[in-house]
Amino acid sequence: MNNSYRILKLKSGEELITRIRGQKGSKMIIERPMIFQSSTLTDPYGRTKEVTILKNWLSYASQEQTSIPLDFVATFLEPDNDVLKLYDYEKRKDDYFKKQNKNKNKNEKRKNNQKLS
């Protein structure tokens, strides 16, 4: 697995997994950051299980990179293989849905143009 990824524990309490692209002044440039979120699920037998998911930290934005002040980061950690697999899976899933939305928007635009003709 690629070891250029890092888990950032922010002073806000958020935990991100991301690729660090570089530094510009006192800011760090990060690519495709995702935030860890935990949820508790209960099965039909009443047993609970904690599940960790990753959510796009830049959701609702068109960009995939951003910069954050270095002093916002409490620590940098190296992710284990299970987390890297989950991160790669979530990126592929995110790419798939973006492509589907792009195709849907193209089709709707085409239909609207045909109606106007």
Side-chain angles (χ1 to χ4, degrees):
M1 283 277 163
N2 191 332
N3 65 359
S4 65
Y5 299 112
R6 293 291 179 261
I7 295 173
L8 307 181
K9 296 206 178 226
L10 304 182
K11 291 181 180 179
S12 66
E14 293 174 306
E15 295 179 50
L16 306 177
I17 184 168
T18 188
R19 183 171 184 198
I20 300 171
R21 299 298 292 174
Q23 185 175 336
K24 197 173 200 177
S26 63
K27 292 190 174 194
M28 175 182 4
I29 302 164
I30 58 175
E31 178 180 80
R32 296 189 81 171
M34 291 193 179
I35 187 168
F36 289 90
Q37 293 183 331
S38 293
S39 182
T40 304
L41 300 176
T42 305
D43 69 14
Y45 302 105
R47 295 178 296 210
T48 59
K49 180 179 179 181
E50 189 168 322
V51 178
T52 300
I53 61 169
L54 292 173
K55 183 179 176 204
N56 184 351
W57 198 56
L58 300 176
S59 56
Y60 312 113
S62 60
Q63 65 207 58
E64 291 188 346
Q65 287 188 7
T66 191
S67 58
I68 60 171
L70 285 167
D71 63 353
F72 277 25
V73 181
T75 191
F76 299 82
L77 301 170
E78 215 170 298
D80 66 25
N81 282 337
D82 289 337
V83 171
L84 287 172
K85 288 176 188 174
L86 177 61
Y87 181 58
D88 285 336
Y89 170 77
E90 290 296 336
K91 287 191 301 181
R92 284 193 309 273
K93 191 169 78 172
D94 194 44
D95 291 343
Y96 174 80
F97 286 117
K98 282 181 185 175
K99 184 177 177 181
Q100 293 299 314
N101 275 340
K102 189 175 181 180
N103 289 339
K104 181 182 173 184
N105 290 339
K106 279 184 187 178
N107 289 338
E108 286 176 5
K109 189 174 181 180
R110 215 176 290 139
K111 286 179 186 178
N112 288 337
N113 286 339
Q114 288 174 352
K115 286 179 185 179
L116 295 174
S117 300

